[in-house]
Amino acid sequence: MAIKVDRPAGGAGDDVVVFVARRLEEARAARDALTAAGVAIELPDAALEALFEGGAASVPVRVRSRDVVRALEVVDAAFPRAEEPEDDDEPPPPPPLAEEEQAPAEPDDAALDAAARRRQDGRIERTAFKVLVIACGSALLPPAGLPFALVAVIGGAWLLLRPDAPRGRAAAGLAIGAASLGWNAFVAASLLAR
């Protein structure tokens, strides 16, 4: 795993970084391979151990500039690169998913119909609750509740005509709305008669 060759920031002379060791074993292996190939390198064991024990995340392996070509060959042989994709623009394919992690199959029409029915039932249930609340609220605000009572009566009647509507709330909304409509009309007529 050779890295891009560049000049070290604080290097002395013409030293060039040919490898960056991330672990003590990597640093020792790089040093031993370079030394065996005849490349002069100064990385004593004591210095390596002190660097990694001191918390260093990596240690650059430097050689003289005249030994760079040979050093890079040695490092490439000692630390072979993983196969890289031919086209750098295309990301590697994702690993295959396990049987239980596979994407769910396309839902069938029956499942979609059932989901649509559940959503519709939820809407009808909420509408019945709103009609009941409007009917109760209209009874508390005479004569200003007259239009709200009218909405509650119409909404309750509409819900009772639907076969999928909750009968209890629809009937209660219609009954309370009708009573509120009469009450609001009576209060409005009383106020107008004065």
Side-chain angles (χ1 to χ4, degrees):
M1 170 177 159
I3 63 164
K4 180 181 149 191
V5 178
D6 60 357
R7 293 225 169 250
D14 63 349
D15 291 349
V16 177
V17 175
V18 292
F19 182 72
V20 176
R22 308 259 184 251
R23 296 184 320 268
L24 179 61
E25 297 79 28
E26 283 183 347
R28 286 180 177 156
R31 180 196 59 203
D32 295 343
L34 289 168
T35 304
V39 177
I41 183 168
E42 293 183 23
L43 278 177
D45 250 353
L48 289 174
E49 289 173 1
L51 284 170
F52 281 107
E53 286 176 5
S58 63
V59 172
V61 177
R62 294 184 174 105
V63 297
R64 290 188 204 135
S65 60
R66 66 178 183 204
D67 295 328
V68 168
V69 173
R70 192 168 25 151
L72 287 174
E73 290 172 358
V74 170
V75 167
D76 283 342
F79 302 97
R81 297 181 205 197
E83 287 298 317
E84 295 178 4
E86 303 242 343
D87 185 11
D88 290 340
D89 295 337
E90 188 176 315
L97 296 174
E99 201 57 43
E100 61 274 359
E101 294 177 359
Q102 299 233 354
E106 289 295 318
D108 59 354
D109 290 338
L112 290 176
D113 290 343
R117 277 194 302 275
R118 280 193 305 273
R119 281 194 303 273
Q120 181 66 21
D121 290 346
R123 281 190 219 123
I124 296 292
E125 185 75 29
R126 285 189 300 274
T127 301
F129 180 72
K130 289 176 187 176
V131 166
L132 184 58
V133 169
I134 289 171
C136 291
S138 69
L140 300 175
L141 302 170
L146 188 62
F148 298 109
L150 186 59
V151 168
V153 168
I154 293 170
W158 177 77
L159 284 169
L160 285 176
L161 293 175
R162 294 188 58 95
D164 56 348
R167 297 281 177 224
R169 283 188 182 168
L174 179 62
I176 295 172
S180 176
L181 186 63
W183 169 247
N184 278 291
F186 172 74
V187 172
S190 301
L191 290 174
L192 290 174
R194 290 186 183 175

